[in-house]
Amino acid sequence: MKIFIKFDFTQFCSRILDEKLDELNIKYRMLNFGEIEFLEIVSPEKLKAFDLILKQYGIEKIENQKVILVQKIKDSLIDMVFNADDTNNVKSSVYLSEKLGHSYGYLANLFSEVTYTSIENFVILQRIEYAKSLITNTDFSLTEIAFKLQYSSVAHLSTQFKNTTGITPTTFQRIIAKRRSLKNTKE
């Protein structure tokens, strides 16, 4: 038996943070996604314990302001790609400027300075990761996936997919289908 699971990354991380901060008896409040304000002075021992707990989940505390803003850019873009409404076709530049309260030029320059890639490339990578997930975990056609990811056409999706992964989405579908059939014959 196989099931497919969809999860809300934001809710997942927030739940972990809530549980672990409560376990450590630290008074806090969530400001935004990825932002916590401690409402009391926290001992170095509790902070160290909190850091160790977070690392178990692949979460780390960020202290450099530039890195913090770049992480907010990444989180916002991932949220934009993975939780986009099919009818909401807003440009990433407008989305980021409105969400983070900075000019797109500033955000793009900072992102490139810290990550050595552009926001546009990051968005493409996220869209292709989502396309791979949809191909692997759903029965959507490439047309439906292209529409969901707001590509102008299947050809546009296919071009970006091949440029990013080295194979076409159709080839990727065949590989996934072959793996499934091999797995089913072994069971």
Side-chain angles (χ1 to χ4, degrees):
M1 180 173 144
K2 181 190 255 185
I3 63 169
F4 298 101
I5 298 172
K6 179 184 179 209
F7 62 93
D8 181 336
F9 182 72
T10 305
Q11 185 179 0
F12 177 74
C13 287
S14 294
R15 171 88 36 103
I16 289 172
L17 292 170
D18 282 338
E19 288 175 6
K20 300 310 171 187
L21 286 164
D22 287 343
E23 282 175 19
L24 291 169
N25 212 12
I26 297 174
K27 293 184 175 117
Y28 66 96
R29 71 179 174 138
M30 296 283 201
L31 301 175
N32 292 310
F33 176 66
E35 256 183 285
I36 300 168
E37 177 182 23
F38 293 131
L39 301 176
E40 62 186 4
I41 295 173
V42 181
S43 71
E45 294 81 21
K46 280 189 179 181
L47 282 177
K48 187 174 182 178
F50 185 55
D51 286 346
L52 291 172
I53 290 169
L54 292 181
K55 283 182 183 172
Q56 293 174 355
Y57 295 95
I59 303 170
E60 64 182 271
K61 186 173 62 179
I62 304 170
E63 297 183 24
N64 178 311
Q65 292 302 312
K66 284 184 176 181
V67 175
I68 290 170
L69 186 51
V70 167
Q71 189 60 48
K72 285 182 181 182
I73 294 168
K74 287 180 177 180
D75 293 341
S76 298
L77 291 170
I78 290 168
D79 185 53
M80 181 188 82
V81 169
F82 282 79
N83 297 316
D85 181 351
D86 294 340
T87 60
N88 185 9
N89 194 3
V90 70
K91 289 185 170 188
S92 57
S93 58
V94 173
Y95 180 81
L96 285 175
S97 294
E98 289 178 357
K99 185 160 181 146
L100 300 177
H102 293 283
S103 75
Y104 181 73
Y106 172 73
L107 295 172
N109 287 334
L110 177 65
F111 192 87
S112 296
E113 175 188 321
V114 172
T115 65
Y116 304 106
T117 191
S118 68
I119 286 174
E120 292 78 14
N121 285 337
F122 185 79
V123 170
I124 290 168
L125 290 173
Q126 296 311 310
R127 289 170 88 187
I128 298 307
E129 284 304 311
Y130 194 24
K132 287 173 16 184
S133 173
L134 292 171
I135 290 168
T136 304
N137 300 318
T138 70
D139 292 328
F140 290 171
S141 68
L142 290 180
T143 303
E144 291 170 316
I145 292 171
F147 179 75
K148 183 163 186 59
L149 294 175
Q150 301 173 350
Y151 279 99
S152 58
S153 66
V154 174
H156 187 205
L157 166 63
S158 295
T159 300
Q160 282 194 344
F161 196 99
K162 184 165 184 173
N163 288 343
T164 304
T165 65
I167 60 174
T168 66
T170 306
T171 303
F172 185 76
Q173 282 178 317
R174 284 189 203 123
I175 292 168
I176 296 302
K178 184 73 172 171
R179 284 184 183 168
R180 285 182 183 147
S181 70
L182 289 173
K183 185 178 177 189
N184 289 339
T185 57
K186 289 180 181 178
E187 292 175 353

